[in-house]
Amino acid sequence: MKAIRALMLKQFLEIKSSFQLRALTLIAPLTQFIVFGFAFNFDVENITLSVLDFDQSTESRALISRFNASGYFKLVSFLTKDNEVEKVLLDGTASVVIIIPPDFAKRLTQNNAPTLQCAFDASSGNTAQIASNYVSAIIGAYGQSIQVSMQERSGAVGVPTAGNATLEPRVWYNPDLKSRNFFVPSILALILLLTTVIAASSSIVKERETGTLEGLIVSPITPLQLIIGKLAPFMVTASITMINLLILSAVVFEVKMRGNELLFAVLSLVFISMILGIGLFVSTISRTQQQAAFTTAFFILPPMLFLSGYAFPISSMPEWVQPITYFIPLRYFIVIVRGIFLKGNGLVELWDSILAMLICTVVIFAASFMRFRKSLE
């Protein structure tokens, strides 16, 4: 036990004296979390909008004002001719063009639904689809308000319309439909994974570079004691980072945990242990700190990023790719962290992901330990 304490103290002193390690374990995760939390946002706002209003009526201006006040669209220009539509879409001045027909107000007052045209720049298919949904919602809401106004003027308020069904949607877990609520918990997991793997692997590789690892090998310290002494400080720093990221999540992004904090803390420690196991394995196949960082960036980050469900739903992946995702450890913690954060899930709902993460942790640590022990020999 004295040997482990001495190694832990040595590692803590190394972290304290090394600005690179302090920045990697404590500063970089917070900075990256803030930047990525704002950057990874699939919500579409400030869509550039041009309007070709052939009607020039009070009703058409009221409709335009709804687009301008929605917060989703930014009115950039009014057009006067048909041939200007393609021009503004082509040069990128506008992403959406609304074309209001000359009989718009007349048809409204006659309770005859007018037909509006809308042109989209669909070079970004996702943005065009979302913009189309926004346009449909705004025009639909405007049409309902006109209908209510006409009923009030005719004294027929409250009279049901035959065959008219009303939909009242209820959105659970993410009522504001903000993609940030979905991404922030998983960004937390991804950043913790990358920074801790690089820090832990680089620290062990540094011992090999400086020649101090050979001195530790010939000492009466066992490989297990060496691993615990080297990795335990990173367990502490990763736990501190996790706490800081949770605070930033609640304060900066207003994404708060709905589930049990104790359950999340325990599972986070398991996840950090798994990360340290990956870092240990990387250190056994790397000879320099640069090689350890290269291995993490090119062989660990891509599969974790693209196959864990972090950015793309696993259910949307090709069927032959989906079985591969079961071998991606981050997949299970992302399910856990999103479930606890957004839905308040507990053991009953998350037991399969928890079990899979525990198995991954044991397998990774066992393989890393055997590989590390073999490399020492």
Side-chain angles (χ1 to χ4, degrees):
M1 196 63 187
K2 290 182 178 180
I4 294 177
R5 284 201 300 267
L7 283 171
M8 289 178 60
L9 179 60
K10 176 181 178 297
Q11 187 60 55
F12 274 122
L13 291 175
E14 182 179 341
I15 294 174
K16 181 181 178 181
S17 61
S18 172
F19 174 77
Q20 181 181 359
L21 276 178
R22 291 202 310 273
L24 187 60
T25 57
L26 297 173
I27 301 174
L30 305 183
T31 306
Q32 293 172 349
F33 184 65
I34 294 175
V35 174
F36 292 162
F38 283 111
F40 280 89
N41 184 7
F42 285 171
D43 298 332
V44 179
E45 300 175 350
N46 295 319
I47 304 168
T48 51
L49 171 69
S50 291
V51 177
L52 177 56
D53 185 3
F54 287 117
D55 194 46
Q56 297 294 328
S57 63
T58 302
E59 288 79 4
S60 66
R61 287 192 290 271
L63 175 60
I64 295 170
S65 67
R66 283 186 173 243
F67 279 94
N68 210 24
S70 67
Y72 299 119
F73 294 91
K74 179 182 179 182
L75 184 60
V76 293
S77 65
F78 285 95
L79 310 181
T80 57
K81 299 177 183 179
D82 285 325
N83 58 9
E84 294 177 338
V85 174
E86 184 177 1
K87 181 178 181 298
V88 295
L89 293 175
L90 189 62
D91 63 19
T93 302
S95 300
V96 179
V97 178
I98 302 292
I99 304 171
I100 302 176
D103 57 351
F104 178 74
K106 181 180 179 181
R107 283 178 170 268
L108 280 178
T109 55
Q110 293 177 352
N111 200 20
N112 186 5
T115 301
L116 288 84
Q117 295 183 24
C118 189
F120 297 92
D121 176 4
S123 54
S124 173
N126 181 65
T127 301
Q129 181 62 51
I130 295 174
S132 176
N133 294 336
Y134 289 161
V135 170
S136 299
I138 292 172
I139 292 177
Y142 179 71
Q144 288 181 353
S145 68
I146 292 295
Q147 187 178 24
V148 170
S149 178
M150 292 176 62
Q151 287 178 341
E152 289 177 347
R153 288 198 298 268
S154 64
V157 179
V159 177
T161 303
N164 185 23
T166 302
L167 176 66
E168 295 183 0
R170 297 180 62 189
V171 182
W172 290 20
Y173 311 128
N174 187 6
D176 297 327
L177 297 178
K178 293 182 178 179
S179 60
R180 186 171 296 148
N181 294 339
F182 179 74
F183 276 109
V184 164
S186 51
I187 291 173
L188 181 151
L190 184 65
I191 289 177
L192 193 67
L193 170 81
L194 293 178
T195 55
T196 305
V197 166
I198 294 175
S201 59
S202 298
S203 174
I204 297 176
V205 171
K206 184 180 178 181
E207 297 280 4
R208 182 179 288 114
E209 282 184 317
T210 57
T212 55
L213 186 61
E214 286 74 7
L216 293 174
I217 293 173
V218 298
S219 68
I221 299 174
T222 65
L224 181 60
Q225 290 175 326
L226 178 58
I227 290 173
I228 295 176
K230 292 295 294 182
L231 297 185
F234 291 107
M235 172 74 78
V236 175
T237 57
S239 299
I240 294 173
T241 297
M242 176 68 82
I243 294 172
N244 291 334
L245 294 180
L246 290 176
I247 294 173
L248 286 177
S249 173
V251 175
V252 177
F253 300 109
E254 298 181 350
V255 180
K256 299 180 181 179
M257 192 183 306
R258 295 175 179 267
N260 188 287
E261 292 86 354
L262 180 60
L263 175 63
F264 181 80
V266 172
L267 296 178
S268 295
L269 290 177
V270 176
F271 177 65
I272 293 172
S273 300
M274 181 175 65
I275 295 173
L276 293 174
I278 296 174
L280 178 63
F281 183 82
V282 171
S283 72
T284 64
I285 59 176
S286 304
R287 291 296 173 183
T288 64
Q289 297 180 67
Q290 291 78 10
Q291 187 177 357
F294 178 87
T295 301
T296 302
F298 286 90
F299 295 100
I300 294 179
L301 175 58
M304 294 293 183
L305 183 60
F306 296 112
L307 298 178
S308 65
Y310 162 77
F312 313 106
I314 294 175
S315 58
S316 300
M317 298 178 185
E319 292 186 1
W320 65 270
V321 174
Q322 294 183 24
I324 302 175
T325 65
Y326 290 107
F327 298 96
I328 305 299
L330 183 61
R331 164 188 174 145
Y332 305 108
F333 189 66
I334 284 182
V335 172
I336 291 170
V337 71
R338 284 175 175 165
I340 295 177
F341 258 83
L342 300 178
K343 299 181 179 180
N345 287 344
L347 288 172
V348 175
E349 295 83 7
L350 299 173
W351 70 268
D352 51 345
S353 295
I354 294 173
L355 178 61
M357 187 174 69
L358 287 171
I359 294 174
C360 286
T361 303
V362 173
V363 171
I364 289 172
F365 234 105
S368 301
F369 176 73
M370 289 187 292
R371 172 77 186 178
F372 182 74
R373 187 171 183 176
K374 185 177 179 180
S375 67
L376 292 181
E377 295 173 353

